[in-house]
Amino acid sequence: MTSKIKPAKGSPYARILGVGGYRPTRVVPNEEILKHIDSSDEWIRSRSGIATRHWAGPEETVAVMSVEAGGKAIADAGITPDQIGAVIVSTVSHFKQTPAIATEIAHRLGTGKPAAFDISAGCAGFGYGLTLAKGLVVEGSAEYVLVLGVERLSDLTDLTDRATAFLFGDGAGAVVVGPAKEPGIGPTVWGSEGDKSNTIMQTESWEVFKDAQDRNEVRYPAITQEGQAVFRWAVYEMAKVAQQALDQAGVQAEDLDVFIPHQANMRIIDSMIKTLKLPEHVTVARDVESTGNTSAASIPLAMERLLATGQAKSGDTALVIGFGAGLVYAATVVTLP
């Protein structure tokens, strides 16, 4: 039987056309973290590579940071807000179950009436959003898609937890994905390992507040992780995923210009460079030193900084990979805007 459905009329390919970022104004050095835990600046730097992170003030909400980053990405892409056909926001720190924060962001940016939705994929969220955006452009459901990764992880940080108190930062990163005449976003290698979901998780469900007799006695939920287990998984398994993304894109390590891994830990980044045998000419994002782990925002924030500082340039070929709570991961090769 012949289908009566007309074929989609999208673009043959998609690419990243613009990038934007927002870092909160408050910079928090390790010394401030050490007021709450028994550790040292040397220990934090040696274990994570982190020296400072940005924490949002009361007025720097998830929506406000996203609008700042999204507006920059739209301008950088050379389009107007009303051309955006879909807004995808990856976050775990928007605390309203509904409506999706993407709808508010879309409205504040003046995008008209685009499709707008949130996704929850932790530190792999940007990769998930990028993959969805590529599909929308190629399928023809939207000509331009705004992809945002945004977090206020300071709201979910237990300052007394020696294992995680120093890790997390706040911020928003955004890209615009649109039509292209040649491939600008490679095949995505993504997946999940739910049997390891307890290695990074929220300490308590929000239900503890609903069920509590005295809410003052309930400890506010925070993010916790089994550091060594996560480290081993990231070092040994994610390098394999990154290599698969290179293979599926038909790109060799020596063909890369830039490597932008999730900014979780400098030791993980260094281990992946070694395993992948990346040549010295490849520029590596090390935004974690001054920004900390911003989960879904880390890759676009690092991308924005590399381009803004001239460490990377438009047209460069970059390998990006995100991984984290779930455990989930996503890797692909892209052409930088």
Side-chain angles (χ1 to χ4, degrees):
M1 181 178 177
T2 303
S3 174
K4 298 179 181 179
I5 301 173
K6 292 182 179 180
K9 294 183 178 180
S11 171
Y13 306 109
R15 67 165 292 170
I16 300 173
L17 300 174
V19 62
Y22 179 83
R23 292 173 173 81
T25 56
R26 181 186 174 194
V27 177
V28 180
N30 288 338
E31 286 73 19
E32 187 168 338
I33 304 297
L34 295 173
K35 295 176 183 178
H36 307 281
I37 58 173
D38 180 16
S39 188
S40 67
D41 177 65
E42 180 183 4
W43 187 89
I44 293 174
R45 288 174 185 256
S46 65
R47 292 301 181 98
S48 68
I50 298 172
T52 62
R53 72 285 293 149
H54 293 255
W55 281 358
E59 72 286 354
E60 292 170 311
T61 64
V62 166
V64 166
M65 293 191 294
S66 296
V67 170
E68 289 290 331
K72 292 176 183 177
I74 292 170
D76 191 48
I79 63 172
T80 55
D82 62 310
Q83 291 178 273
I84 296 293
V87 177
I88 303 171
V89 178
S90 178
T91 184
V92 299
S93 45
H94 169 55
F95 293 156
K96 284 185 179 179
Q97 194 72 32
T98 190
I101 193 64
T103 58
E104 179 182 342
I105 294 165
H107 174 68
R108 289 195 186 193
L109 284 169
T111 57
K113 298 180 180 180
F117 57 95
D118 299 350
I119 58 175
S120 177
C123 304
F126 175 74
Y128 276 48
L130 188 64
T131 302
L132 294 173
K134 172 188 171 183
L136 291 174
V137 171
V138 172
E139 190 271 338
S141 293
E143 185 175 13
Y144 299 100
V145 181
L146 178 65
V147 180
L148 278 148
V150 57
E151 303 291 2
R152 273 182 56 118
L153 294 181
S154 57
D155 291 336
L156 288 167
T157 298
D158 180 354
L159 292 178
T160 65
D161 181 357
R162 189 173 183 271
T164 61
F166 58 90
L167 288 176
F168 302 119
D170 302 338
V175 299
V176 170
V177 176
K181 295 181 179 179
E182 57 184 16
I185 302 173
T188 299
V189 178
W190 57 352
S192 64
E193 298 184 34
D195 60 312
K196 300 179 181 66
S197 61
N198 63 344
T199 56
I200 307 175
M201 60 186 297
Q202 189 171 302
T203 53
E204 298 285 350
S205 164
W206 297 112
E207 290 180 342
V208 297
F209 291 101
K210 182 187 72 171
D211 299 333
Q213 297 294 324
D214 182 354
R215 295 191 178 186
N216 293 323
E217 295 180 359
V218 177
R219 190 177 182 86
Y220 195 80
I223 297 174
T224 186
Q225 70 175 24
E226 297 177 14
Q228 287 301 315
V230 173
F231 181 85
R232 288 192 298 270
W233 175 77
V235 168
Y236 296 112
E237 298 301 324
M238 291 304 98
K240 298 176 186 177
V241 171
Q243 185 61 56
Q244 289 174 30
L246 288 174
D247 294 341
Q248 291 199 20
V251 174
Q252 303 294 320
E254 55 266 28
D255 298 326
L256 285 176
D257 301 301
V258 184
F259 178 41
I260 311 177
H262 167 47
Q263 301 295 293
N265 182 300
M266 199 75 79
R267 293 165 63 207
I268 293 175
I269 294 172
D270 288 337
S271 295
M272 293 182 73
I273 293 169
K274 184 177 181 180
T275 302
L276 290 168
K277 298 179 181 179
L278 296 184
E280 290 187 5
H281 76 263
V282 176
T283 298
V284 179
R286 297 184 180 276
D287 200 42
V288 66
E289 180 179 8
S290 60
T291 309
N293 180 346
T294 56
S295 189
S298 79
I299 290 175
L301 276 175
M303 183 185 295
E304 185 267 347
R305 175 163 279 173
L306 288 176
L307 289 165
T309 58
Q311 297 177 72
K313 63 183 185 299
S314 175
D316 279 352
T317 300
L319 169 64
V320 300
I321 179 170
F323 47 86
L327 292 169
V328 294
Y329 53 88
T332 188
V333 177
V334 304
T335 302
L336 295 183

